[in-house]
Amino acid sequence: MSAAPMTRADLLAELEGLRRTSRNVNRAVWGVAVGVMVYGAGNVTGLLVAHGVHAAIAWMLSPMVDLGLIVALVGGRALDRYGVRAGWLTMLRWTAGLMTWSLNVAGPALAPGGVDAVGVLIHSCGPVLLLVVAEASASVQRGIAATTVRLHRQMDEAGPTAPAAPLPTPTAVGPIPAPDPAPTAIGPTKPRPNKTAPTARTRRAADPADVDGLMPLGWRIAADHETRGIPLTRDRLKDAVRQTGQSISTDRAGRLLARLRTDPPADPAPTTSTAPPADPADETGGPTAPAITDLAVRTTALTDSGDIHG
């Protein structure tokens, strides 16, 4: 009977277990390596001193051999993670291990009274153990790397799985209510303004046609200011239009003033009776607004009187 397919959670648990095993094996190898290095440092230093090497440099040979072994262990650990084998690293590992073994067993093997077999056996334990552990750990790491690749492939084939939403619990009151439908928009949805397209306000600001209805009043106000010798500005034009009861913004008053400067009046003799009273602070020595109004009233009365008598 075939085994049930592993779920994504099972695959993740297996991968975590493999990573933990890889770390433990690596720590064990380094523990054995450090023990052999420390144990062999004393043996090698004493052997070199006994053969005439100065004590100041006799300690250097053992660390050099140990560094070569460290290169082999670190490089092999990095490559084994990807299932790669390197012949030179294997050779370096065996060379450094044999050097360590030779230096450790040289003392009892070259004893004056003959080979000390027990001493050779004792001093061989550490280096031989390090060689075997290093080779075994390399094989374990390559197997872990191959298994990790296989598990990752299975996870890719399984794909991500999203947990299903729990169903509502039925009650004794009635059937399970259906989920609320997605809300629908009532009326047209307000579109988002496009930053690249001009808005209605921009188009209105650039369009001078929105001041066409104010042109007759603007011509009369301009004629009144010209008669009194007062320069017509945007603010004065705005105030004069507002005094007639009509609303106008500052921007629109500016556009109206621009139209007044470029478009001649349709009526060359606009009446001044409808012009709003000017601010006394704006006067520059001309007749006052009440005087102009009074003059217009008297002129109208005389004209009407002549029409009656005629």
Side-chain angles (χ1 to χ4, degrees):
M1 184 176 64
S2 60
M6 299 178 66
T7 62
R8 189 178 182 85
D10 296 336
L11 294 174
L12 290 174
E14 288 291 331
L15 288 173
E16 180 59 30
L18 289 175
R19 283 192 289 266
R20 186 166 52 250
T21 301
S22 177
R23 289 193 297 266
N24 292 336
V25 170
N26 190 51
R27 293 191 189 102
V29 173
W30 278 107
V32 174
V34 171
V36 172
M37 293 172 188
V38 174
Y39 180 78
N43 294 334
V44 174
T45 303
L47 177 65
L48 295 179
V49 171
H51 285 75
V53 180
H54 197 277
I57 59 175
W59 62 271
M60 298 176 62
L61 181 58
S62 180
M64 285 190 295
V65 176
D66 295 340
L67 286 175
L69 183 60
I70 289 174
V71 170
L73 293 176
V74 173
R77 173 75 175 86
L79 295 180
D80 292 338
R81 210 180 291 129
Y82 301 98
V84 179
R85 300 193 66 172
W88 279 104
L89 284 179
T90 303
M91 181 182 296
L92 177 60
R93 189 162 54 242
W94 274 90
T95 301
L98 288 175
M99 286 183 178
T100 302
W101 175 78
S102 300
L103 292 172
N104 276 275
V105 301
L110 301 175
V115 178
D116 183 4
V118 176
V120 172
L121 179 63
I122 292 174
H123 292 297
S124 297
C125 292
V128 172
L129 177 63
L130 179 58
L131 283 173
V132 176
V133 168
E135 288 297 327
S137 67
S139 178
V140 171
Q141 298 293 359
R142 285 191 293 270
I144 290 176
T147 307
T148 301
V149 172
R150 179 174 56 83
L151 292 178
H152 277 293
R153 188 180 300 113
Q154 292 181 10
M155 290 182 61
D156 294 339
E157 293 174 356
T161 56
L167 296 176
T169 306
T171 59
V173 176
I176 299 174
D180 294 336
T184 56
I186 300 176
T189 305
K190 183 179 181 181
R192 294 184 177 180
N194 188 2
K195 294 183 178 180
T196 59
T199 60
R201 183 175 182 179
T202 305
R203 291 193 302 268
R204 185 167 59 250
D207 185 10
D210 61 344
V211 297
D212 288 344
L214 295 175
M215 290 299 293
L217 177 60
W219 284 324
R220 290 194 294 271
I221 296 174
D224 176 62
H225 279 69
E226 184 178 0
T227 302
R228 291 183 287 156
I230 302 175
L232 182 62
T233 63
R234 182 184 63 179
D235 293 336
R236 290 170 180 170
L237 178 61
K238 178 184 66 174
D239 295 338
V241 172
R242 288 182 177 178
Q243 289 178 8
T244 62
Q246 301 190 43
S247 61
I248 185 172
S249 63
T250 303
D251 294 339
R252 197 178 181 195
R255 296 193 298 273
L256 178 59
L257 180 61
R259 285 286 303 277
L260 293 175
R261 291 173 177 174
T262 57
D263 296 353
D267 185 5
T271 60
T272 58
S273 60
T274 57
D279 189 356
D282 294 335
E283 296 178 1
T284 57
T288 60
I292 295 175
T293 305
D294 186 39
L295 178 60
V297 171
R298 288 199 301 269
T299 302
T300 304
L302 291 174
T303 304
D304 295 340
S305 175
D307 291 340
I308 295 173
H309 290 83

